[in-house]
Each structure stands twice: as structure tokens, then as C-alpha cells.
Amino acid sequence: MKKKWMALCLGLLLAVQVCFSASATPHLNYVTDFAGLLTDQQISELQHGALELSERYDFGVYIVTMDDFTRRTSARDIESAAEEVYLHNELGEGSNQSGLLLLLSMEDRDWGLFAFGYGNTAFTDYGKDYLSKEFLDDFKHDDWFDGFEDYQELCDQMLSEARSGSPVDVDHTPAPPHARLYGIVACTVLGVLVAVLVAFLLKRQLKSVAHGTQAEAFVAGGGLKLTNQHDRYTHTTQSRVYDPPQKSSGSGGTTTRSSGGSSAGGKF
């Protein structure tokens, strides 16, 4: 009888330990807003965007916000905190756990990026710095949703560049999505303004011209007569093609941590 009670007690103790372990490691979504920076609608939109990226590239793009990373992790700096959150929660897609995590900690306005698996290839050291400039402009003005949208959009572009064999690095820096859009809009507006200006000037020059209804009005009196003719050498045209020096990629690439991932971080 005692053995049965002991077995029952051990079973209950094991069940409690399993339940405690499960509750101690909560599952994180693509977007987890512990700091309460976003509305439910905004979280839903960002979650949908991250799901599309996951399906397109088999790659996880994550966002986690915290009030203070020192209270939720054992890390002493934001980069280590991002690493701990990623690995402890087993984030990433595929057998290599490929993904990228953006972690915000509001207490001291810290941001951290942690890449793992294929993330080390798609997001080089230079690439992480290039990516951070896109969302930090928004975060400095507390514009969280636009910053996270910019983060996802540029992740999409950088993953596409990496899949094509040219990850963003010191020797390859494409224009950000918004810069390309602004350039197209600016060129279109400028073209329209130039066309309107040219049309206005031509119309202004033609105001003094009378309508001609007969062909003889366009023929000079007495016809065309050549009184003198000379051939003169004016110039020789040469064309040259500028061949810029090739940039060295020796300082590019990705610096990995002992865990096999790579990171970046700072203040906003």
C-alpha cells in the first residue's frame, strides 16, 4: 500500500514539474508585445506580415518588446538578451532555426538584433547596421508601428537579395524600399513639371504666328538659291567609359557569437 502511495506522489510531483516547465517557457509569436506598444489591430497586421515572410523564405522574422530586459532575462546587455530570448524559446524556421529577432527594451531604450542559421548569411554585420537605420528613425519619435513595418519590409528585400546570391554587405548596398519609391515619385513629378514648362514656352512662341491656308505661303520668294558652299572641319568626337575601382569585400561578412548566432544593438 505504501509503495502505491509513493508511486502516486511521485507521479503527481512529476506532473507538477512538467506543468511548471511548460508555464516557465511561454511560446512566443512572431510579434510579442510585452511592453504594450501596439494595438491589437497593429499586432495582427505585423503578425500577418511575418507569416508571409515565413512562407516565402522559410525564415522567421520576430519582434519582441519588453519593459526591461534585465527583469525577463539573465543577460547583462541587450545583445545577449536577444540571443537568450531567441535560443531559450527555440525560435527560427527549419532544421537550422533560421531567423532574425528584433528586441526592444523600454527601460533604457535599448534595441538588439539576433540572427541565427541562414540569418547569419542574409544579415551580415554591415547588413544589420543598414537594417537598423531604417527602423531607428521611427523609434526615435516613438513611432513603433511604422518602425516595425519598415523592419519587416527591409527584411523582405534583404532576404530576396541574399537568395539571389548578393546579400547586403559592404560591397552591395541596394536602395531601401522607401528610397526607391520616393525616387520614382520625384522623377515622375519632375518629368511632368518639365513637360508642362516646355509646352507653355512653345505655346507662348506660337502666339504671333498666323495660320497659313495655302502652300505658297510656306515657299520663299524666288525659291532656294545657294550662292556659296564650303566644307569646314569642326571637331572629332571621342567616347570614354568610366571603369570605377572595385570595392574590396575583405571587411564584410558576419561575426558570430559562441552560440553560432550573430548580433547587433544600441540605443534609440
Side-chain angles (χ1 to χ4, degrees):
M1 188 67 177
K2 291 183 179 180
K3 291 183 179 181
K4 292 183 178 179
W5 277 108
M6 289 180 64
L8 180 60
C9 291
L10 287 173
L12 290 174
L13 180 59
L14 180 61
V16 170
Q17 288 178 339
V18 170
C19 292
F20 178 80
S21 299
S23 62
T25 310
H27 174 71
L28 298 184
N29 295 317
Y30 289 116
V31 182
T32 306
D33 184 25
F34 291 127
L37 304 179
L38 304 167
T39 65
D40 290 343
Q41 178 63 31
Q42 291 172 337
I43 292 174
S44 178
E45 291 182 25
L46 293 171
Q47 185 80 7
H48 179 71
L51 183 60
E52 287 186 341
L53 292 176
S54 173
E55 293 175 348
R56 189 178 307 145
Y57 300 106
D58 192 24
F59 187 93
V61 176
Y62 302 94
I63 296 169
V64 176
T65 72
M66 297 180 175
D67 293 322
D68 186 353
F69 75 86
T70 62
R71 298 177 182 176
R72 287 187 176 269
T73 71
S74 60
R76 295 184 178 181
D77 61 79
I78 189 66
E79 293 183 40
S80 298
E83 177 183 37
E84 181 177 320
V85 170
Y86 192 99
L87 298 177
H88 181 72
N89 290 279
E90 299 182 350
L91 302 181
E93 303 286 345
S95 59
N96 295 326
Q97 288 185 251
S98 296
L100 179 71
L101 165 66
L102 170 58
L103 173 65
L104 294 193
S105 178
M106 304 308 298
E107 179 68 21
D108 293 316
R109 298 180 73 88
D110 295 300
W111 67 270
L113 287 171
F114 183 75
F116 200 76
Y118 187 71
N120 292 328
T121 299
F123 299 92
T124 62
D125 295 343
Y126 177 86
K128 293 184 186 71
D129 181 63
Y130 170 82
L131 173 62
S132 67
K133 291 177 181 177
E134 186 72 6
F135 58 72
L136 287 178
D137 285 345
D138 297 306
F139 292 164
K140 287 178 181 177
H141 298 93
D142 295 349
D143 193 350
W144 315 117
F145 179 69
D146 285 348
F148 291 135
E149 269 197 328
D150 291 346
Y151 163 71
Q152 287 186 343
E153 289 177 8
L154 196 52
C155 280
D156 187 358
Q157 180 188 355
M158 294 176 69
L159 285 167
S160 177
E161 296 284 341
R163 293 295 189 193
S164 68
S166 301
V168 175
D169 209 339
V170 291
D171 56 356
H172 177 61
T173 308
H178 290 89
R180 297 203 309 272
L181 177 60
Y182 295 153
I184 293 172
V185 173
C187 290
T188 302
V189 172
L190 181 61
V192 171
L193 292 176
V194 171
V196 171
L197 178 61
V198 171
F200 173 76
L201 294 176
L202 291 176
K203 183 177 181 181
R204 188 174 183 181
Q205 292 176 359
L206 294 174
K207 283 185 177 180
S208 60
V209 178
H211 292 283
T213 58
Q214 298 182 3
E216 62 183 11
F218 300 95
V219 179
L224 176 65
K225 295 180 180 181
L226 297 177
T227 59
N228 202 352
Q229 183 175 351
H230 296 280
D231 291 330
R232 295 177 180 174
Y233 173 79
T234 59
H235 64 280
T236 300
T237 301
Q238 292 182 340
S239 60
R240 298 179 180 179
V241 178
Y242 173 63
D243 185 14
Q246 297 296 319
K247 296 180 180 179
S248 173
S249 59
S251 60
T254 304
T255 304
T256 57
R257 301 166 68 96
S258 59
S259 65
S262 56
S263 63
K267 303 283 186 179
F268 58 88

